[in-house]
Amino acid sequence: MPELIPEPRSARFLPDAGACELTDPLLDAGPGTGGTARWLRRELGAATGWELPAPAAGEPSGGRPVIRLALRPEIARTAGAESYELHVTPGSVLLEGGDPAGLFYAAQTLRQLLGARAFRRAPLPGAVWRLPCGDIADGPRFGWRGMMLDVARHFTPKEGVLRHIDLLAAHKLNVLHLHLTDDQGWRIEIKRHPRLTEVGAWRARSRWGHRASPLWNETPHGGFYTQDDIREIVAYAAERHVRVVPEIDVPGHSQAAIAAYPELGNTDVVDTAALEVWDDWGINENVLAPTEAVLRFYEGVFEELLELFPAEVSPFVHVGGDECPKAQWKASAVAQGRIAELGVDGEDGLQSWFIRHFDGWLAERGRRLIGWDEILEGGLAPGAAVSSWRGYAGGIAAAEAGHDVVMCPEQQVYLDHRQADGGDEPMPIGFVRTLEDVYRFEPVPPKLSEEAASRVLGAQANVWTEVMENQSRIDYQVFPRLAAFAEAVWSRLPEPERRDYADFEARMAAHYPRLDALGVDYRAPGGPLPWQRRPGVLGRPIEGAPPNV
C-alpha cells in the first residue's frame, strides 16, 4: 500500500507489476477536466519542470508517457460525490473522477504518489519521477470536511488564507470556515459601514498568552480583507473545490462592531461611545442591542456578504450565536420592552428571536443559516444547521430534531488545545489532544438513531487564535493533527478503538517530508523545536481526559 494520507478506500499495487516512469509526460485532458489540468500544469509543472503539453490530435505519443484526465459520472453514481479512480500502467496514468471534485482529489493522490519532491515549487536536480503500477478507488465518507480559522483574534493576511486553502486541498478537505468578526477585530470590508474596518479592524494591544497571563504585546494589531480580497479567496478556493463559509458573529462577540458604531450597543446601560476594540480574550459583556435599527444594520452587512460569497460556492452563512451574556439586556429598559413586545421567554428568548430573524432573512435569499449549538435554545427553522462545539450533545439534539449538523466538539477537535503534557508546549490551552487522539475522533456518536446519523454532514477542526499570533504558531497547532483529522473524516475507518494508529503513524513518516516541502512549521513527533516554544507565557491547561459530553 502506498503511504497515502488520507487512506484510500481501496488500493491494489502488486510488487511485480512494474513501474511507470514519467519522463516529460503528455497531459491528455478530456472534456470538463480543464480545472484539474490547469492545477497539474501549475503545481506539478513547478515541482518537476514538466510542461505537460497536450498530445497532438490523431498522433501517437511517440513513446512518451501520458497522464490522462477523464470525468466518468458512473463513479459518482456508484461510489458517491467526490469519488475517483486512479490507474497506473507502465506507459500511462489515468485519473477518472465521478465529478470535477473527484478528479481533483485524484490529482492530489497522484502528487502524493510522486513523493515529497512533488510538493516543491521548483525542480531538484537529478529527480526521477516513477510511480508504482496499480489501482486506487477512493471517495469520502462525509461531504463536510472542514477547518475553521479564526482571523478575528489574530489576523491572517490574504496570502496566508490562500496558503491554508492549498493545505486543506492537499488533505482532501473541502470547507474553510472563516471566523471574520469578534470583540477583538472586524476583518471584512463593508462599504456601507466603513467604520467597521476603519475602527473595528484595529486594536491598540493584545494579551500575550491566556487571559490569566499578566503579559501584554503592546504592538497595535489589525487588518482586514477588502471585498476584492474576499472575491479572490472565494474564487481561489472554488478552483480547489473548497467552500468558504463566512461567519459574522451576532448578537454576542460584537465589541469591535460596537466600538465602530456605538449605537449598535445597549446605550441605555453602557457608555458605548467609550468602548474600543477589545484587547483581551474571553467572553465579553458588550452585546448588540435587540432593536430594529440593529437588525437593519446587520441586514446591510449580510447583503454585501452574500454578493461576495455566491450561493453556488457558499450556500451556508454562519451567524455565530454563541456565548452571549445577558446582563446588559437584563438591565436595559429597551431590551425589557422588546421582550414584552415580542412576548418571548426572557433574555434567552430574545437571543433566539435575533437568530430566527436572520434564519428567515437568509432563507428568503436562498441561503442556509448555520450557527454554534447555542442557537438550538428557543428553536430553529427547519433549514438551519448547527455547529456542535460544546460537545456532542448539541449535535445529537439537533440531528434528532431534524437539523443538519457539523460536529466540532471542543474536547476532541479544537486544535488550539495542547498537543502534549509538560512545560515545553507553547502557551498550553485546554486538554491534551495528541495526534492519536485526533486520529480516533468519530463524528457520529453511536447513540444517534440511523435517521439522525444521516443528518451529520461531517465535521470540522476549529482553530481559535488567541494564543496564535502568526502563521508559524498556527502551523504548529494545526499540523500534523489536521492530517489525522482529514483521515478521520475522509476514510471509512473502523470504530475508534479498533483503528490502526500504528499504520497511520508509519504513513505519517512519509507525510512529514511533504509538509516540509510545503514549508509547514508543524510540531515534530519529538516535541517543539526551540523557536516554537514560548517559555514563561501562561496558558490554561486542563488536566485529565476530556469529558465525552
Side-chain angles (χ1 to χ4, degrees), residues 24-25 69 78 169 179 382 527:
D24 197 19
L69 308 180
T78 58
H179 184 77

Side-chain angles (χ1 to χ4, degrees), residues 301-356:
V301 169
F302 283 116
E303 282 177 3
E304 294 194 26
L305 195 80
L306 297 190
E307 190 274 326
L308 297 171
F309 295 87
E312 58 271 19
V313 293
S314 297
F316 286 91
V317 174
H318 209 291
V319 300
D322 63 317
E323 297 178 331
C324 179
K326 308 299 192 301
Q328 290 183 5
W329 288 350
K330 287 180 185 292
S332 166
V334 171
Q336 293 301 309
R338 194 65 157 165
I339 289 170
E341 174 192 345
L342 295 169
V344 297
D345 185 14
E347 291 78 22
D348 289 340
L350 200 56
Q351 180 175 354
S352 176
W353 163 80
F354 209 110
I355 297 299
R356 288 178 68 91

Side-chain angles (χ1 to χ4, degrees), residues 17 23 52 62 99 108 130 168 173 215 217 230 266 296 323 350 417 451 455 485 511 518 521 529:
T23 303
L52 292 172
D99 50 32
Q108 292 286 0
R130 185 180 292 112
L168 293 180
L173 299 173
L215 305 177
N217 180 343
I230 293 293
N266 295 283
R296 300 293 88 74
E323 297 178 331
L350 200 56
H417 282 210
E451 181 180 353
R455 292 285 188 178
F485 174 82
H511 199 64
L518 289 167
D521 200 7
L529 299 170

Side-chain angles (χ1 to χ4, degrees), residues 121-161:
R121 295 186 181 181
L124 294 177
V128 176
W129 303 100
R130 185 180 292 112
L131 294 174
C133 290
D135 305 283
I136 293 174
D138 198 11
R141 179 184 176 193
F142 293 105
W144 188 301
R145 309 178 303 279
M147 186 185 88
M148 187 224 70
L149 179 62
D150 169 17
V151 297
R153 271 51 175 266
H154 279 103
F155 180 62
T156 295
K158 179 190 71 176
E159 285 301 317
V161 175

Side-chain angles (χ1 to χ4, degrees), residues 258 262-272 285-290 328-329 332 334-335:
I258 296 168
E263 64 271 20
L264 297 175
N266 295 283
T267 56
D268 60 338
V269 294
V270 177
D271 180 10
T272 56
E285 293 290 330
N286 293 297
V287 303
L288 298 175
Q328 290 183 5
W329 288 350
S332 166
V334 171

Side-chain angles (χ1 to χ4, degrees), residues 352-424:
S352 176
W353 163 80
F354 209 110
I355 297 299
R356 288 178 68 91
H357 173 82
F358 286 105
D359 189 353
W361 189 92
L362 288 166
E364 289 173 0
R365 290 155 180 80
R367 304 302 180 94
R368 295 187 63 188
L369 178 143
I370 186 168
W372 304 113
D373 53 58
E374 287 96 329
I375 70 172
L376 282 167
E377 300 159 8
L380 281 178
V386 171
S387 302
S388 188
W389 76 273
R390 290 181 293 182
Y392 287 106
I396 292 170
E400 296 287 4
H403 294 286
D404 287 340
V405 174
V406 176
M407 287 294 187
C408 48
E410 64 168 328
Q411 303 86 354
Q412 313 298 328
V413 288
Y414 268 33
L415 299 186
D416 47 318
H417 282 210
R418 58 197 175 127
Q419 303 186 61
D421 244 330
D424 284 343

